[in-house]
Amino acid sequence: MEQLLASCFGGLFKLPVRRCAFSAKLVHGLMTRQVVTKKRYEMWPVFGGNPMRFSLAEFGTVTGLPCGEFEEGYVVDDMARVKKTDFVFWDRLFYGRRDVTIADVAAMVASDKEMPPNRKLKLCLLIIVDGVLLATTQNPKPTVKHVKRLESLKKFLGFPWGREAFWWTISGMLPAQRVLGKCDDPEGGFCKKLRQESKILPGFPLALQLWAFEAIPLLVKRLSGDDGETILTFSGAKLPQHSGLPLSGVLEAEHDPQVRFGSFFCIMLKVQPMAERGADEDEGWGEFDCEINDRKVAYVIELLNNGHVFRKEEWGGGDAAEPKYEHDSSGRTGKRKGRGFQSKEAEGPALKQRRLSRYFTRVGSGGEDRLGAVEAKIENLMELVAKLKRIVVKQGRQLRRRKVAGSGRHSSRETEPKKLFSDSEGESTDNKTDGGDDVVGGDTSLGDDPSEAIMMDKGLGKMKESDVVPLEGAKKGDPREEGNQVYYGCGSNTFFVSEDEDFGELNKLVGVITRAAEAQEDKVASAGDDTSSEESENEKDDDENKVLDVSDSSPCRTTEKHKPVEKEEELAALLLAKEAFSLANLVPAAEDSDYQFFESVLIANPKVLHLNAGKYDLDNQFFLDLATPEKWVSTKVLHMEALVDYVGGRHEVALKARRCLFLPPWFAGHLQGKTRAFNAAKCNKGRVLCDGRLSGFLTKEGKKWGEDVDTLYSPMIWGGNHWVGLCISLTDWRVLVLDPNPALREMSEVWELMETVSKMLPYLVEKVCTPPKDKAYNLEAFAIERMGGAYENKRSGDCGPVSIKFMELHALGNPHPRMDGLTDALVDIMRKQFAMDLYKDWVVPLYMGGSQP
């Protein structure tokens, strides 16, 4: 299967299933609406007044089949007689059978489980070619010349099957050539065939439907499902027989005067007229050397290239033999099935039209007592509701008593193993806790249910079996000695964290609570008596080296706060001894000589959390991930936020002089999140952007748009998997996209991704910027451009740091080595330098008593 998917036929298996259900009415409609031309290998249907071409180029675009030139001397419709020597490989492939059909070949492949893979591949290729692409009859059969070509797989797979399949397909969709005495009126004969109940279309006519869906997006919107399910992933035995696109849907799409695109209504129907040849296609792809030149078709193409908008009135002529169709958008009446003639005697008495509800009348129990019965039911329901309320209130009181009774107590008890397991030891002794109090009271032992005794000790009294929290035992101390048995409630929410577990955001929560607890302890210590001031200072010094563990069921335990070890102090000394940053080191050409030592120190303890490092809580793993080449960075781990803040702070003076400002990633993400609301707003779209967070951010002192800043830089993520940089110019009214890998998306996709953001920016400018003299800002969308000629990072995972570096270089005037001078090796060094600089400027001052820059 892998070899088949990797061949020239692999694109057929990627076709969406919903587009492959053949719609004969759609194909027939496009054939009847075509313009008569001199072309022999092009068809020009007109849909809603818009011409669209169906040629070899469009056929190859939708099928992915090779459409290059034939080999020298090859003739498609070869009527030469078959020789006996041509059946040599046929007999070897089909074991001497000459009357085999494509259905027989498919049965052979499906039934023979022990067939050699090479023979099975050849049979599958033959099914695709003669059964799908080049079928000329209802029950197709293998072609001798195609079977002969199968003898060499390389020769078979290298043949331009797309060109031959299109030759057969287009031959049945165009009027025949005029031949005196044989075909004097080709257009009339073609129209006569189109009026038949059925018409044979050889080749692969589904390609015309696929191109219609590609060229007319409105038709695809009327299909059910989505394009995610392909032929390869389709689990059904057969493809759907109906496309889900009725004739009424096609006509409504064609006659709909308003087609909605986003929040705007476009009066003209959008139809892609033709597909252009790709830059990587071979010479002669999508063309026929024997094609006839038609000046009228050339004129239509020239008008299309110049942006001319066609109307239905411009297309005259046509076959007027059929009555003109008048589309009624209000809908059509349902059809009734015809029935045979019956006499009035056979029909029986006529039935009067009655309401449907009269056939299902309700029968009351007592006639006049209906109201009383309903009132009785309502009273019963009210009693049930009142009873349920009392039960809920009672359970709430019990729950509060249990919480009060259990507050301030540990969820564990320590006792001797023999007392806990008295049923197995056969002994009964007094059960005492470490404090000397009875567990249950008096001489009562734990009996068979120790959990019940523990619950009674908490003041909860006798409880049901379902209310008891299940307990798990854990032996403490040396197992050979008589130690303590501690029970932990399985239902407790206490966290037992090992060093290998990473709780991400939970660590940040611990840091916040730790700082609050330390501040509270400082206040308590300062409020002590003067006589115990020295003792309080000692306790305060001890508390500064401790942090609190968080638990919702037990008192907080204190653990030692992280202290820099010897290697960390040595690393800090090395980093502080380095030269200050300069523009000459904006893109380092060589790796820092101390990076290996830096990496080894962080790897030794990657879970160390540095609180308030550059206003963020960063652990050592953060810096290791940032320094690792091709390692994905995101906003979840704060990589992009930290890089934007650091770069903006490092060049604060230069950026202010250039009237530039770096915006955090949430700015573009915030605008993306308002896309649906913005597009849905029919008037006053600026209100969608009037939220407190955005307003406060745009009006910060010294960072006001139009007054202090003219150029904005912000990272933006596309599709959740690709970072780009945005350069928003308020003076030029444009957005320059700094894309690390522009080969990933065509410019049309970039416009689609940036469309809503470009429309939102004018409303933001109008809101925060002072309007020009004697006029107001227009609300025209910002122009979208993409930077070209820069370094292209085609590796995955580096787009985040590279987009930050692009914005940094662009904001500083693109100094040496410039954006086009970057390489993959320099990107690896750049990521490591970013990590070391962040650690030096944000983390080292936390432990050295310095202030952060």
Side-chain angles (χ1 to χ4, degrees):
M1 190 63 185
E2 291 77 11
Q3 190 174 357
L4 184 61
L5 294 177
S7 67
C8 59
F9 304 103
L12 299 175
F13 294 92
K14 299 178 183 179
L15 294 175
V17 172
R18 68 167 183 166
R19 300 192 184 196
C20 293
F22 189 71
S23 176
K25 290 187 178 181
L26 175 60
V27 174
H28 182 268
L30 294 174
M31 291 171 59
T32 57
R33 296 158 186 255
Q34 63 176 295
V35 180
V36 179
T37 68
K38 296 180 182 179
K39 296 285 187 178
R40 302 309 310 156
Y41 302 103
E42 287 183 10
M43 185 175 72
W44 283 86
V46 178
F47 188 87
N50 298 274
M52 51 183 286
R53 184 184 69 181
F54 179 66
S55 65
L56 182 58
E58 286 74 27
F59 186 93
T61 300
V62 297
T63 61
L65 295 171
C67 299
E69 295 185 357
F70 289 126
E71 56 191 18
E72 193 69 21
Y74 181 81
V75 180
V76 177
D77 193 12
D78 188 5
M79 302 301 295
R81 297 184 61 181
V82 181
K83 302 177 183 179
K84 290 185 178 180
T85 55
D86 295 334
F87 284 97
V88 174
F89 183 74
W90 177 292
D91 295 336
R92 194 161 69 243
L93 185 65
F94 298 116
Y95 303 118
R97 291 184 57 183
R98 297 289 179 89
D99 59 341
V100 66
T101 63
I102 294 298
D104 298 334
V105 177
M108 292 166 57
V109 174
S111 60
D112 193 354
K113 303 299 182 182
E114 298 179 358
M115 182 182 296
N118 188 42
R119 181 169 180 263
K120 180 175 291 187
L121 175 62
K122 292 181 178 180
L123 294 179
C124 291
L125 293 174
L126 191 63
I127 294 172
I128 294 175
V129 171
D130 281 330
V132 179
L133 299 178
L134 302 176
T136 56
T137 60
Q138 191 71 19
N139 190 18
K141 296 182 179 181
T143 307
V144 177
K145 65 176 182 178
H146 296 159
V147 175
K148 186 179 179 180
R149 193 179 294 273
L150 262 178
E151 192 170 3
S152 173
L153 274 179
K154 183 177 180 181
K155 185 178 179 181
F156 187 92
L157 296 176
F159 185 78
W161 292 110
R163 181 176 286 263
E164 177 152 2
F166 175 76
W167 191 96
W168 287 99
T169 303
I170 201 67
S171 63
M173 295 183 175
L174 295 176
Q177 293 184 357
R178 188 183 303 272
V179 180
L180 293 177
K182 292 185 178 180
C183 184
D184 297 327
D185 185 15
E187 289 80 15
F190 186 74
C191 291
K192 184 177 180 181
K193 291 182 179 179
L194 291 177
R195 293 193 192 99
Q196 299 174 169
E197 292 184 359
S198 63
K199 184 182 184 305
I200 296 177
L201 292 177
F204 190 56
L206 180 64
L208 178 58
Q209 174 179 310
L210 296 175
W211 172 243
F213 288 147
E214 189 74 18
I216 311 171
L218 194 58
L219 292 179
V220 181
K221 293 182 179 180
R222 281 172 161 75
L223 293 176
S224 58
D226 56 19
D227 291 341
E229 187 177 29
T230 62
I231 293 180
L232 183 62
T233 60
F234 183 63
S235 58
K238 294 182 179 180
L239 289 176
Q241 297 296 320
H242 302 284
S243 63
L245 182 65
L247 179 60
S248 59
V250 179
L251 297 176
E252 288 173 4
E254 184 180 19
H255 293 81
D256 192 0
Q258 290 184 335
V259 182
R260 183 166 182 168
F261 287 87
S263 59
F264 299 92
F265 284 92
C266 182
I267 301 302
M268 302 304 296
L269 177 68
K270 298 297 182 181
V271 177
Q272 183 179 348
M274 63 188 77
E276 300 297 334
R277 189 180 72 178
D280 56 342
E281 302 295 349
D282 298 331
E283 186 68 19
W285 184 93
E287 300 175 356
F288 282 90
D289 294 337
C290 56
E291 179 64 277
I292 302 173
N293 184 28
D294 191 338
R295 291 183 294 106
K296 295 181 179 180
V297 174
Y299 179 66
V300 171
I301 295 177
E302 182 181 358
L303 291 177
L304 290 172
N305 293 333
N306 294 334
H308 177 74
V309 179
F310 287 87
R311 298 187 303 273
K312 295 180 182 179
E313 297 78 15
E314 295 178 291
W315 304 100
D319 183 13
E322 297 291 332
K324 184 179 179 180
Y325 173 81
E326 296 291 341
H327 178 68
D328 184 12
S329 59
S330 62
R332 56 179 182 176
T333 58
K335 295 183 179 179
R336 293 191 178 186
K337 295 183 178 180
R339 59 178 182 177
F341 174 77
Q342 289 182 335
S343 62
K344 292 185 178 181
E345 293 77 7
E347 290 182 359
L351 296 178
K352 293 183 178 180
Q353 187 175 5
R354 299 175 59 188
R355 287 181 177 272
L356 185 63
S357 58
R358 295 183 181 179
Y359 288 95
F360 304 96
T361 57
R362 296 183 179 180
V363 180
S365 58
E368 298 178 355
D369 297 336
R370 290 182 180 179
L371 181 59
V374 173
E375 291 178 349
K377 289 183 179 180
I378 293 176
E379 291 178 359
N380 293 334
L381 291 175
M382 293 179 65
E383 291 180 1
L384 290 175
V385 171
K387 184 176 181 181
L388 289 175
K389 286 184 178 180
R390 290 194 296 271
I391 294 175
V392 171
V393 172
K394 181 179 179 181
Q395 290 180 349
R397 290 197 300 267
Q398 293 177 353
L399 181 60
R400 287 193 294 271
R401 286 199 299 269
R402 292 176 183 178
K403 287 184 177 180
V404 172
S407 62
R409 304 291 298 271
H410 292 278
S411 60
S412 61
R413 283 291 183 269
E414 298 183 357
T415 184
E416 296 181 2
K418 291 184 179 180
K419 298 176 182 179
L420 286 173
F421 301 97
S422 57
D423 55 344
S424 58
E425 297 293 332
E427 299 179 1
S428 177
T429 58
D430 292 341
N431 297 284
K432 302 287 184 178
T433 62
D434 292 341
D437 298 331
D438 294 342
V439 175
V440 181
D443 297 330
T444 307
S445 61
L446 292 176
D448 296 336
D449 194 354
S451 61
E452 180 181 343
I454 294 175
M455 290 299 175
M456 292 179 64
D457 178 64
K458 289 185 176 182
L460 302 182
K462 185 69 175 179
M463 298 179 63
K464 300 178 182 179
E465 183 179 359
S466 59
D467 296 332
V468 178
V469 178
L471 302 177
E472 292 183 353
K475 187 69 177 294
K476 285 190 174 182
D478 191 347
R480 295 171 297 179
E481 299 177 0
E482 184 175 347
N484 293 328
Q485 189 81 10
V486 180
Y487 279 84
Y488 296 97
C490 300
S492 173
N493 291 328
T494 305
F495 295 102
F496 299 93
V497 184
S498 65
E499 294 183 357
D500 297 335
E501 292 176 312
D502 183 10
F503 286 86
E505 298 294 335
L506 179 61
N507 292 333
K508 302 173 186 177
L509 177 62
V510 174
V512 173
I513 298 177
T514 300
R515 292 195 295 271
E518 290 176 347
Q520 184 67 23
E521 289 177 359
D522 292 343
K523 295 180 181 179
V524 174
S526 62
D529 297 336
D530 296 337
T531 57
S532 59
S533 60
E534 182 177 358
E535 181 180 357
S536 300
E537 289 294 332
N538 295 334
E539 293 178 356
K540 181 178 180 180
D541 293 338
D542 294 339
D543 292 340
E544 287 181 352
N545 298 325
K546 297 179 180 180
V547 295
L548 298 176
D549 289 346
V550 180
S551 173
D552 63 346
S553 60
S554 301
C556 297
R557 298 182 294 107
T558 58
T559 57
E560 292 297 327
K561 185 179 178 181
H562 173 71
K563 295 181 180 179
V565 296
E566 182 179 355
K567 287 189 176 182
E568 290 177 325
E569 294 177 352
E570 183 180 352
L571 174 62
L574 283 174
L575 295 178
L576 292 175
K578 293 184 178 296
E579 297 180 358
F581 171 79
S582 64
L583 286 180
N585 298 324
L586 189 60
V587 180
E591 181 181 315
D592 194 298
S593 58
D594 296 324
Y595 174 75
Q596 297 298 330
F597 179 68
F598 169 80
E599 184 181 33
S600 64
V601 173
L602 268 63
I603 290 178
N605 201 350
K607 300 299 181 182
V608 172
L609 186 65
H610 309 288
L611 304 179
N612 201 25
K615 82 178 183 181
Y616 300 105
D617 297 335
L618 309 176
D619 57 6
N620 287 344
Q621 189 63 46
F622 169 90
F623 301 96
L624 294 173
D625 293 343
L626 178 59
T628 304
E630 302 184 52
K631 182 76 173 181
W632 173 256
V633 297
S634 67
T635 57
K636 294 182 179 180
V637 200
L638 302 177
H639 283 114
M640 296 300 291
E641 287 88 345
L643 287 175
V644 170
D645 280 356
Y646 182 75
V647 171
R650 183 162 66 177
H651 305 292
E652 183 177 4
V653 177
L655 294 177
K656 188 174 182 179
R658 290 176 172 269
R659 296 176 62 84
C660 299
L661 176 65
F662 273 65
L663 302 177
W666 75 261
F667 173 75
H670 191 72
L671 297 184
Q672 287 175 303
K674 291 182 174 292
T675 298
R676 180 177 296 180
F678 183 83
N679 291 333
K682 296 181 180 180
C683 58
N684 199 2
K685 291 179 176 288
R687 295 186 60 184
V688 178
L689 306 175
C690 294
D691 58 274
R693 184 182 185 188
L694 193 59
S695 300
F697 176 77
L698 299 178
T699 56
K700 285 185 178 180
E701 189 65 29
K703 298 181 180 180
K704 294 182 179 179
W705 292 16
E707 296 183 11
D708 308 312
V709 177
D710 292 331
T711 307
L712 311 170
Y713 292 90
S714 174
M716 182 179 183
I717 191 167
W718 288 349
N721 56 11
H722 183 60
W723 284 102
V724 298
L726 303 181
C727 173
I728 305 172
S729 176
L730 303 180
T731 55
D732 298 337
W733 214 256
R734 68 162 188 162
V735 178
L736 179 64
V737 179
L738 310 176
D739 193 347
N741 190 4
L744 283 179
R745 287 176 171 84
E746 298 291 339
M747 195 60 200
S748 58
E749 298 179 74
V750 175
W751 285 331
E752 184 178 353
L753 291 168
M754 296 295 300
E755 178 185 8
T756 306
V757 175
S758 66
K759 294 177 181 178
M760 290 180 179
L761 290 174
Y763 290 92
L764 292 178
V765 173
E766 182 188 34
K767 179 180 178 181
V768 300
C769 297
T770 304
K773 295 181 179 179
D774 302 330
K775 63 178 181 179
Y777 283 111
N778 61 52
L779 298 179
E780 182 181 355
F782 275 49
I784 305 297
E785 300 177 3
R786 181 163 63 179
M787 180 186 64
Y791 155 75
E792 294 187 12
N793 181 267
K794 298 184 179 180
R795 308 183 305 180
S796 62
D798 290 333
C799 56
V802 173
S803 62
I804 298 294
K805 182 57 67 174
F806 274 1
M807 293 191 297
E808 183 181 18
L809 291 170
H810 193 274
L812 298 177
N814 198 16
H816 184 78
R818 302 172 57 87
M819 285 181 277
D820 56 351
L822 296 178
T823 61
D824 291 345
L826 289 179
V827 170
D828 296 344
I829 298 172
M830 175 196 72
R831 295 191 62 157
K832 297 175 182 178
Q833 194 63 42
F834 264 145
M836 295 186 69
D837 291 345
L838 281 169
Y839 192 90
K840 172 189 173 183
D841 295 336
W842 283 4
V843 176
V844 171
L846 295 176
Y847 301 100
M848 298 302 170
S851 60
Q852 298 184 24

